[in-house]
Amino acid sequence: MEKEKISKHKKVQEIDIIETLEKSCNPDLDEGDWISKYDLVEKGRNLRLVNTQKHGSCKTECRTIEAACQELADDFDPSDLSVKLIRGNRNLKSITNWICKEETAACAVPAPFMPKNRPKGEEHEPLDDEAREAHQTLRNLKAQGMNGQLYSRDNLANELDEIQEHYEDDEDFDFLKQELDALREKAKKGATQNEL
């Protein structure tokens, strides 16, 4: 859990802490969104977890961090942590040491060396503001049980052009052409497929 999530002045209920902890290892949820800021970086024959300060696409390394987080979360009772937080122990280093050394065996054994022939990991790809907003929109739709896909203006315009080329010789195309022109105008204004 990131520092900003552990506020010294905010009074929270134990159930809220537990619910947040249970969701905090899933980068597809708001509570676990912090994972997408991290990158696994090779340093010698070890991997280091580096906070890039920028949300990125969740690919293989992000899913690896998710799995490690979930494995750690499965090893301790979130209600014990919620009690610590409610009683005022909000020191991140203290909580980290407690989880790492007292509640779990996560720090008991040094991490194994990476094999020498391990392929280089993927680069962290920060999302620009537009891509981040699209990602959050899709995540929120999915959380509400809806599926969708967002298209950029250019991609949607290209799709509409392909439809027009396919139906140009059709006698009934005039009606369809009017509809496509209206859709093209919406695409220019940044409409999504879900709005169409």
Side-chain angles (χ1 to χ4, degrees):
M1 189 179 297
E2 291 183 88
K3 261 185 194 172
E4 61 261 20
K5 303 273 184 178
I6 304 176
S7 168
K8 291 182 179 180
H9 304 289
K10 186 177 178 184
K11 183 134 178 136
V12 293
Q13 300 295 317
E14 182 176 4
I15 190 68
D16 296 330
I17 295 170
I18 293 170
E19 286 177 1
T20 299
L21 288 171
E22 288 173 348
K23 297 175 183 177
S24 67
C25 290
N26 185 343
D28 298 323
L29 301 174
D30 288 340
E31 295 83 356
D33 195 36
W34 62 272
I35 292 173
S36 72
K37 288 182 178 181
Y38 283 82
D39 189 18
L40 291 175
V41 177
E42 293 91 356
K43 186 169 184 177
R45 291 195 56 207
N46 293 310
L47 284 177
R48 298 280 182 229
L49 196 59
V50 175
N51 186 346
T52 66
Q53 303 294 323
K54 295 196 176 261
H55 291 280
S57 300
C58 192
K59 296 180 180 177
T60 305
E61 289 185 359
C62 175
R63 296 301 172 188
T64 300
I65 297 167
E66 173 188 15
C69 178
Q70 191 58 56
E71 186 175 328
L72 182 66
D74 290 345
D75 285 348
F76 74 94
D77 184 351
S79 62
D80 292 340
L81 177 54
S82 67
V83 169
K84 280 188 162 306
L85 293 171
I86 288 172
R87 289 185 178 160
N89 182 354
R90 297 181 182 185
N91 179 288
L92 188 58
K93 187 173 184 176
S94 168
I95 290 171
T96 301
N97 284 333
W98 173 75
I99 291 171
C100 185
K101 296 176 180 171
E102 295 178 35
E103 284 296 301
T104 69
C107 299
V109 178
F113 288 125
M114 294 184 304
K116 288 183 180 180
N117 60 351
R118 178 186 179 272
K120 184 170 171 37
E122 63 205 17
E123 294 291 322
H124 182 75
E125 296 177 12
L127 298 173
D128 62 25
D129 292 341
E130 186 177 323
R132 174 113 173 93
E133 186 177 325
H135 175 75
Q136 288 176 312
T137 299
L138 285 174
R139 186 175 62 204
N140 292 340
L141 287 171
K142 190 174 181 181
Q144 295 172 15
M146 296 183 270
N147 288 322
Q149 184 171 357
L150 296 179
Y151 291 94
S152 70
R153 292 179 198 141
D154 293 338
N155 286 345
L156 188 54
N158 289 340
E159 291 284 330
L160 293 174
D161 286 342
E162 287 179 23
I163 291 171
Q164 185 171 348
E165 286 174 21
H166 182 74
Y167 285 101
E168 263 181 337
D169 296 332
D170 191 320
E171 293 175 5
D172 297 324
F173 182 70
D174 287 338
F175 171 75
L176 184 57
K177 185 176 183 314
Q178 291 172 359
E179 293 296 314
L180 288 173
D181 288 341
L183 289 173
R184 192 173 284 107
E185 283 303 311
K186 281 187 179 182
K188 287 179 184 174
K189 294 177 183 170
T192 66
Q193 180 185 4
N194 291 327
E195 293 172 347
L196 306 175

